[in-house]
């Protein structure tokens, strides 16, 4: 039974006795008079997003068995290494006497005994466009994962692992044709940083288009998505600044913050009470020892979290940012192009004003089928980055055909190609995401994240099931990504599916059937929640009346 809070949000009791706060749809967060960029009229009115966001707790028995499994794996590794210490190594290092080890002892041990025996589940070479389907180049190992040999055979699989959200990773069509024409006209490489001789007219065109697309005053682009975070955050915060970061933020954000020298404090994932407590403490207490005010406070969050499949609670974060006079850095790597009625990311999804987000970051490697990243915001911010960003000063400028791919796909999303192809892809992605999630829940699998997210993690838990799930899905013609510790918590290993607008209902049904078989074979159907009743109708936009349990 839903509980109504003071702000008219729906609350539902969680398994741990706590209530989960649904996305607020009241006008209380949007009372300030707002002005919008051209094309953003009508945005800013809060949208009531009713997508279920599920994070079912790990059953205690499963958690205990998972810890036991990891313990057994590590124990066997130590026993094996002890016994092998009496046998000459099959792969000895040569000419290394006197050198210090490159890795810590446990890190090296974990790589040798946990990762290498199942290395065939990762780094799989493909020999096709990563579209709705792909072709894997088969390989075998005869030395327990040290080396691989190709078998000269190929396996065609349904691609459920690539970030090709809108299906623009194509070798034919308007985007590919435009990129090919640009290659002939401008070449493949620039061979110079942007601050020297690397700025071309196509880069300026791209940045103008990106700023217009996200509703910001200006934008700057970079050739690598990871570096957009890692090399720009040190230009924005430094010693004496405080960064409040979501505990599930991406490694690129974590690296950038560590390089900055700023003080970092972590709040619980998407938990507004935890975030407000950190903000209040920062404002009241100030810096340690001196108690002086922080030079600036920066909140760092993502639009869609790539391992959890959850969507940032942006309206409430904006409200807290305004209340405590903090800055907001929003990483839209997985949400730009994939969320919102116009594909403009989490800001568009919730109907927020882009000006309420101080720093809009995103990448072109997912929805746009290209490479690189951008930061958008005020002209003052972007001018600062043009001068101080290491990625702008030292990295080679983006390749012209890569820039053209982004321009072409972005124009299609915006409808500026004169067709409704962009809108069709957005609708298809939304339908596919909801249908796939609801069908997996119906099977009794534990599925994390938000119904509107194209990232769909299915919990596996046991270490032995990480490799087994990946291999069994490949046998059934489905390529996905299995993830375990240290990329996730030790008890939350998972198989991650990425949905694309290029997937048809028949393709999704094939993946669901394969996951049903693998779920029965490996006993992955752990969910204790009531299963959805009745058929899941493809394309039906259900509106649940209350939020899912914690």
């Amino acid at each position: 039974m839903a509980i109504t809070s003071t702000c008219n949000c729906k609350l539902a009791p969680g398994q741990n006795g706590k209530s989960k706060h649904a996305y607020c749809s009241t006008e209380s967060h949007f009372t300030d008079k707002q002005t919008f960029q051209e094309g953003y009229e009508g945005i800013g009115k809060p949208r009531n997003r009713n997508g279920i966001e599920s994070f079912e707790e790990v059953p205690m028995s499963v958690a205990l068995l998972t810890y036991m499994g990891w313990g057994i794996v590590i124990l066997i590794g130590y026993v094996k290494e002890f016994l092998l210490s009496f046998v000459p190594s099959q792969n000895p290092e040569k000419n290394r006497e006197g050198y210090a080890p490159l890795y810590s002892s446990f890190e090296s041990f974990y790589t040798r005994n946990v990762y290498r025996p199942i290395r065939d589940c990762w780094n799989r070479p493909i020999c096709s466009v990563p579209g709705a389907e792909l072709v894997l180049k088969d390989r075998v190992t005869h030395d327990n994962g040290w080396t691989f040999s190709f078998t000269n055979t190929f396996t065609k699989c349904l691609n459920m692992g690539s970030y090709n959200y809108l299906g623009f990773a194509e070798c034919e069509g308007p985007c590919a044709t435009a990129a090919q024409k640009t290659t002939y006209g401008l070449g493949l490489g620039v061979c110079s940083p942007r601050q020297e001789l690397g700025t071309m007219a196509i880069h300026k065109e791209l940045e103008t288009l990106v700023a217009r697309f996200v509703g910001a005053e200006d934008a700057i682009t970079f050739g690598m998505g990871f570096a957009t975070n890692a090399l720009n955050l040190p230009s924005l915060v430094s010693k004496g600044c405080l960064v409040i970061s979501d505990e599930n933020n991406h490694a690129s954000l974590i690296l950038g913050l560590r390089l900055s020298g700023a003080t970092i404090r972590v709040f619980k994932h998407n938990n507004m009470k935890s975030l407000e407590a950190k903000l209040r403490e920062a404002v009241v207490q100030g810096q340690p020892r001196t108690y002086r005010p922080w030079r600036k406070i920066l909140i760092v969050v993502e639009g869609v979290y790539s391992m959890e499949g959850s969507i940032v609670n942006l309206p409430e974060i904006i409200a807290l940012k305004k209340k405590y006079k903090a800055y907001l850095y929003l990483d839209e790597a997985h949400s730009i192009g994939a969320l919102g009625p116009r594909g403009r990311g989490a800001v568009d999804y919730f109907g927020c004003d882009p000006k309420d987000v101080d720093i809009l970051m995103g990448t072109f490697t997912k929805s746009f089928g290209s490479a690189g990243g951008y930061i958008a915001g005020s002209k003052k911010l972007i001018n600062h980055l043009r001068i101080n960003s290491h990625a702008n000063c030292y990295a080679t400028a983006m390749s012209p055909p890569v820039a053209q791919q982004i321009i072409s796909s972005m124009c299609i999303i915006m409808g500026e190609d004169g067709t409704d192809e962009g809108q069709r892809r957005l609708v298809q992605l939304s339908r596919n995401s909801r249908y796939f999630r609801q069908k997996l829940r119906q099977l009794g699998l534990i599925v994390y994240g938000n119904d509107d997210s194209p990232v769909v993690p299915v919990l596996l838990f046991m270490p032995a099931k990480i490799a087994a799930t990946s291999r069994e899905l490949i046998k059934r013609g489905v390529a996905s990504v299995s993830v375990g510790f240290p990329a996730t918590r030790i008890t939350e290993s998972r198989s991650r599916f990425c949905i694309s607008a290029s997937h048809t209902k028949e393709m999704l049904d094939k993946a669901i059937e394969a996951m049903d078989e693998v779920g029965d074979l490996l006993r992955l159907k752990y969910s204790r929640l009531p299963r959805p009743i009745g058929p899941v109708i493809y394309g039906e936009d259900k509106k649940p009346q209350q939020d899912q349990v914690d």
Side-chain angles (χ1 to χ4, degrees):
M1 182 176 179
I3 306 167
T4 304
S5 69
T6 55
C7 61
N8 297 322
C9 290
K10 300 286 186 177
L11 298 176
Q15 290 176 336
N16 55 7
K18 297 179 181 179
S19 292
K20 184 170 176 62
H21 195 7
Y23 294 142
C24 186
S25 60
T26 65
E27 298 287 344
S28 59
H29 301 323
F30 299 87
T31 53
D32 296 337
K33 184 177 180 181
Q34 299 169 333
T35 58
F36 303 99
Q37 295 289 321
E38 183 181 353
Y40 272 76
E41 294 83 357
I43 303 301
K45 295 182 180 179
R47 296 192 180 100
N48 186 16
R49 291 297 176 187
N50 292 313
I52 293 174
E53 187 144 300
S54 175
F55 290 97
E56 186 178 346
E57 290 183 342
V58 182
M60 183 61 70
S61 59
V62 175
L64 289 174
L65 288 172
T66 301
Y67 281 118
M68 288 176 60
W70 281 105
I72 291 170
V73 168
I74 292 173
L75 178 61
I76 291 173
Y78 277 115
V79 171
K80 184 177 72 173
E81 296 221 331
F82 173 74
L83 296 176
L84 289 176
S85 64
F86 300 101
V87 180
S89 174
Q90 296 178 351
N91 298 280
E93 289 188 340
K94 298 179 181 179
N95 303 317
R96 302 295 294 174
E97 294 80 3
Y99 281 81
L102 290 175
Y103 306 101
S104 67
S105 56
F106 183 76
E107 183 180 351
S108 181
F109 169 86
Y110 187 90
T111 301
R112 290 193 306 271
N113 295 280
V114 180
Y115 169 69
R116 186 171 289 120
I118 59 174
R119 195 158 68 97
D120 61 292
C121 298
W122 294 278
N123 313 314
R124 288 192 177 104
I126 68 171
C127 45
S128 69
V129 173
E133 295 177 316
L134 52 74
V135 178
L136 298 177
K137 192 169 185 180
D138 299 331
R139 56 183 183 164
V140 293
T141 177
H142 302 290
D143 51 10
N144 202 32
W146 278 90
T147 61
F148 290 92
S149 301
F150 291 118
T151 61
N152 294 323
T153 60
F154 306 89
T155 302
K156 188 176 182 179
C157 292
L158 178 61
N159 182 10
M160 301 296 292
S162 298
Y163 305 133
N164 186 24
Y165 296 137
L166 292 181
F168 283 116
E170 302 167 315
C171 59
E172 55 186 20
C175 294
T177 301
Q180 184 180 31
K181 185 178 179 181
T182 301
T183 302
Y184 290 137
L186 299 177
L188 288 172
V190 182
C191 305
S192 179
R194 289 288 303 274
Q195 278 201 356
E196 294 178 11
L197 298 174
T199 298
M200 305 175 71
I202 196 169
H203 296 130
K204 292 292 187 181
E205 179 186 354
L206 173 60
E207 290 173 347
T208 301
L209 182 63
V210 169
R212 189 156 56 88
F213 184 72
V214 301
E217 290 182 4
D218 201 359
I220 183 173
T221 58
F222 307 94
M224 181 180 178
F226 190 97
T228 304
N229 279 329
L231 298 184
N232 281 296
L233 280 166
S235 303
L236 300 172
V237 289
S238 57
K239 187 176 181 180
C241 300
L242 174 67
V243 177
I244 303 180
S245 175
D246 189 288
E247 65 179 348
N248 288 336
N249 275 343
H250 191 261
S252 60
L253 292 168
I254 296 170
L255 176 61
L257 294 176
R258 287 175 177 173
L259 291 173
S260 72
T263 301
I264 306 169
R265 291 178 185 167
V266 178
F267 69 96
K268 294 179 182 178
H269 177 55
N270 240 357
N271 188 312
M272 297 303 102
K273 289 184 178 179
S274 175
L275 174 58
E276 184 164 20
K278 299 289 183 184
L279 285 167
R280 186 186 298 113
E281 179 186 2
V283 171
V284 173
Q285 298 292 338
Q287 299 186 44
R289 294 189 298 274
T290 64
Y291 300 104
R292 292 178 179 175
W294 296 98
R295 290 174 54 199
K296 69 179 79 164
I297 299 175
L298 179 67
I299 303 169
V300 179
V301 293
E302 295 183 43
V304 169
Y305 290 85
S306 59
M307 283 296 169
E308 310 302 318
S310 53
I311 298 176
V312 65
N313 194 343
L314 189 59
E316 292 198 23
I317 289 179
I318 289 175
L320 290 174
K321 160 229 187 283
K322 291 180 176 180
K323 180 178 179 180
Y324 291 96
K325 303 296 185 277
Y327 294 97
L328 176 58
Y329 186 107
L330 176 61
D331 179 345
E332 296 240 53
H334 287 267
S335 53
I336 193 69
L339 282 187
R342 302 174 307 153
R344 313 293 171 93
V347 175
D348 186 29
Y349 179 77
F350 288 105
C352 300
D353 182 359
K355 290 182 178 179
D356 287 337
V357 180
D358 302 285
I359 306 158
L360 288 157
M361 178 272 173
T363 63
F364 304 121
T365 52
K366 284 84 177 176
S367 296
F368 304 97
S370 190
Y374 70 86
I375 288 181
S378 66
K379 286 188 176 294
K380 185 177 180 181
L381 167 70
I382 302 306
N383 288 337
H384 170 80
L385 290 176
R386 291 192 198 281
I387 298 171
N388 295 283
S389 168
H390 287 79
N392 196 58
C393 295
Y394 303 112
T396 301
M398 183 184 291
S399 173
V402 170
Q404 184 59 57
Q405 167 72 20
I406 302 164
I407 292 170
S408 301
S409 56
M410 194 172 288
C411 286
I412 291 174
I413 296 171
M414 298 170 74
E416 295 186 358
D417 63 331
T419 70
D420 62 351
E421 177 63 17
Q423 190 62 34
R424 185 197 66 78
R425 294 188 187 220
L426 291 169
V427 172
Q428 181 81 356
L429 176 62
S430 177
R431 287 176 176 174
N432 287 351
S433 300
R434 283 182 166 271
Y435 177 76
F436 192 71
R437 280 179 174 275
Q438 290 166 8
K439 290 289 283 186
L440 290 182
R441 285 201 186 99
Q442 219 171 38
L443 298 178
L445 299 164
I446 294 182
V447 182
Y448 272 8
N450 192 292
D451 267 11
D452 291 323
S453 168
V455 180
V456 185
V458 176
L459 273 290
L460 308 176
F461 299 112
M462 317 290 182
K465 296 182 181 181
I466 299 172
T469 301
S470 177
R471 290 165 180 163
E472 289 298 327
L473 285 173
I474 289 292
K475 290 179 184 178
R476 291 162 176 79
V478 178
S480 68
V481 177
S482 290
V483 190
F485 178 82
T488 67
R489 292 180 178 86
I490 199 166
T491 58
E492 294 185 2
S493 301
R494 64 199 65 184
S495 184
R496 184 183 64 181
F497 299 90
C498 292
I499 308 302
S500 172
S502 61
H503 290 142
T504 63
K505 179 180 180 297
E506 290 71 27
M507 291 176 177
L508 297 179
D509 286 337
K510 176 183 176 180
I512 292 163
E513 182 182 354
M515 200 61 200
D516 188 20
E517 294 177 4
V518 174
D520 289 332
L521 178 67
L522 302 180
R523 298 189 178 184
L524 302 176
K525 299 178 180 180
Y526 301 106
S527 180
R528 298 178 295 175
L529 296 177
R531 299 190 184 185
I533 300 173
V536 177
I537 301 174
Y538 181 75
E540 186 179 45
D541 189 17
K542 293 188 177 182
K543 299 291 184 182
Q545 294 302 309
Q546 68 179 38
D547 219 46
Q548 180 65 293
V549 295
D550 261 324

